[in-house]
């Protein structure tokens, strides 16, 4: 892990930051110093005790969205990539890849939780140029840089072919360049799933959900989520329109599988 950290005045000189108590500002600086190379911290309370900070300071950083929390207690610095750029030869990937998968990077270089973004929002493409701060000097991000993995090498994931197949099967018009879609596809590709696996999932769910109340879930956020492997190994079921679902619907009965979140 790199031993040097930088801070951007675009963050620390804002009224929102400077209006916070000095103890809260101090906690923010110390959390940045102890974060891993992707901006994650798993010992926030230890750092609080070390500097004499309080839970209220941490809660204020979360409320002001300087920190993004996860259910397992880990937090990530929202503006981590605005502050720092870690060179490839010193970069160590975070111990929290699942949490990293849940993040997008917006036009300002800030982390955003995917599950908190509205579906209508279209964040920046992963490969767009981003001005970042390198440890020791300024540098412009490269077009070929894979920001989510920290690699300078372009990946070869067939984003366009996958999304084109989804659009063909569902009559949709999703973009293969959207950062949320790309991050989901890349996450599944990193788990070893192939192009054929993506096509299989798309085809299975399109046949199952087309023409039903579930049709609205024929989208990248659902199909390429962490449930992907379950969808892939699911036995092909008949379309609900052909399996009595239509009768249940007309009788006002909602099947159990529609009562939960997909």
């Amino acid at each position: 892990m790199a031993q040097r950290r930088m801070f951007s005045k675009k963050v620390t000189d804002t009224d929102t930051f400077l209006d916070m108590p000095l103890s809260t500002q101090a906690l923010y600086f110390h959390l940045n110093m102890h974060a891993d190379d992707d901006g994650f911290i798993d010992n926030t309370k230890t750092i609080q005790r070390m500097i004499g900070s309080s839970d209220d300071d941490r809660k204020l950083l979360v409320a002001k969205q300087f920190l993004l929390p996860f259910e397992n207690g880990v937090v990530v610095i929202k503006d981590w990539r605005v502050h720092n750029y870690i060179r490839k030869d010193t970069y160590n990937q975070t111990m929290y890849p699942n949490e990293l998968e849940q993040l997008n990077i917006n036009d300002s270089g800030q982390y955003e939780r995917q599950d908190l973004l509205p579906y209508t929002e279209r964040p920046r493409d992963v490969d767009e140029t981003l001005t970042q701060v390198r440890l020791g000097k300024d540098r412009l991000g490269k077009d070929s840089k894979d920001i989510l993995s920290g690699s300078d090498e372009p990946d070869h994931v067939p984003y366009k072919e996958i999304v084109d197949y989804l659009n063909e099967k569902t009559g949709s018009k999703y973009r293969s360049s959207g950062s949320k879609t790309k991050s989901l596809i890349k996450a599944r590709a990193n788990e070893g799933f192939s192009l054929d696996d993506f096509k299989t999932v798309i085809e299975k769910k399109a046949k199952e959900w087309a023409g039903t109340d579930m049709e609205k879930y024929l989208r990248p956020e659902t199909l390429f989520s962490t449930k992907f492997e379950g969808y892939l190994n699911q036995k092909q079921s008949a379309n609900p329109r052909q399996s009595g679902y239509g009768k249940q619907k007309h009788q006002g009965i909602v099947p159990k599988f529609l009562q939960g979140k997909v």
Side-chain angles (χ1 to χ4, degrees):
M1 184 174 75
Q3 299 301 307
R4 298 176 61 193
R5 299 302 186 211
M6 299 292 290
F7 295 93
S8 172
K9 293 171 67 176
K10 292 180 179 179
V11 177
T12 60
D13 272 7
T14 61
D15 287 341
T16 302
F17 185 84
L18 294 174
D19 282 345
M20 295 189 300
L22 291 178
S23 58
T24 307
Q25 297 180 37
L27 177 60
Y28 181 77
F29 287 121
H30 279 275
L31 291 175
N32 273 268
M33 293 303 299
H34 287 82
D36 66 20
D37 288 349
D38 286 302
F40 288 87
I41 310 113
D42 61 2
N43 61 340
T44 306
K45 291 188 177 181
T46 299
I47 298 171
Q48 287 177 220
R49 290 192 295 268
M50 182 178 67
I51 68 171
S53 183
S54 68
D55 284 340
D56 287 340
D57 291 318
R58 174 178 50 82
K59 291 176 181 178
L60 183 56
L61 288 174
V62 172
K64 296 290 187 180
Q65 296 190 356
F66 288 102
L67 296 180
L68 301 179
F70 293 88
E71 292 180 359
N72 60 358
V74 173
V75 298
V76 67
I77 310 267
K78 179 178 181 178
D79 295 296
W80 177 254
R81 293 180 180 270
V82 178
H83 292 311
N84 294 288
Y85 175 83
I86 310 298
R87 297 198 325 267
K88 183 179 178 181
D89 59 339
T90 63
Y91 170 79
N92 289 301
Q93 187 173 13
T94 183
M95 295 172 58
Y96 303 98
N98 292 333
E99 285 73 21
L100 187 61
E101 281 184 20
Q102 299 176 43
L103 299 174
N104 283 322
I105 300 174
N106 65 19
D107 291 330
S108 299
Q110 300 169 313
Y111 281 138
E112 290 180 334
R113 287 271 301 270
Q114 291 182 21
D115 55 339
L116 300 181
L117 289 174
Y119 292 123
T120 55
E121 185 170 336
R122 293 186 175 185
R124 64 182 289 280
D125 292 347
V126 171
D127 61 350
E128 288 179 6
T129 301
L130 172 66
T131 301
Q132 295 181 320
V133 180
R134 187 174 182 175
L135 297 180
K137 72 181 218 178
D138 291 342
R139 142 175 180 156
L140 291 178
K142 297 180 180 178
D143 287 344
S144 63
K145 179 175 175 56
D146 177 359
I147 294 176
L148 291 180
S149 69
S151 170
D152 285 329
E153 298 298 326
D155 62 59
H156 300 286
V157 180
Y159 302 106
K160 188 176 187 304
E161 191 167 355
I162 291 170
V163 176
D164 284 351
Y165 192 77
L166 172 61
N167 290 335
E168 175 187 337
K169 291 296 182 180
T170 63
S172 302
K173 295 182 179 180
Y174 291 106
R175 301 179 308 147
S176 60
S177 59
S179 64
K180 178 183 288 187
T181 298
K182 291 185 72 172
S183 65
L184 289 169
I185 293 175
K186 185 171 180 62
R188 305 290 81 79
N190 286 342
E191 292 172 355
F193 294 108
S194 67
L195 173 61
D196 287 340
D197 292 333
F198 280 94
K199 289 185 175 181
T200 297
V201 168
I202 292 169
E203 189 169 349
K204 280 185 176 181
K205 304 314 287 185
K207 287 182 178 179
E208 180 182 354
W209 290 346
T212 75
D213 285 350
M214 301 296 287
E215 188 170 21
K216 62 186 176 182
Y217 294 113
L218 292 172
R219 61 192 184 196
E221 292 93 335
T222 301
L223 300 178
F224 308 147
S225 70
T226 53
K227 293 186 178 182
F228 183 87
E229 186 171 8
Y231 293 150
L232 179 64
N233 289 286
Q234 165 186 327
K235 292 183 179 180
Q236 186 67 59
S237 59
N239 187 296
R241 291 179 301 175
Q242 304 170 355
S243 60
Y245 166 70
K247 295 180 180 179
Q248 291 179 316
K249 182 177 179 182
H250 290 303
Q251 295 172 358
I253 301 175
V254 180
K256 289 183 178 180
F257 79 93
L258 286 181
Q259 297 175 6
K261 185 178 180 181
V262 177

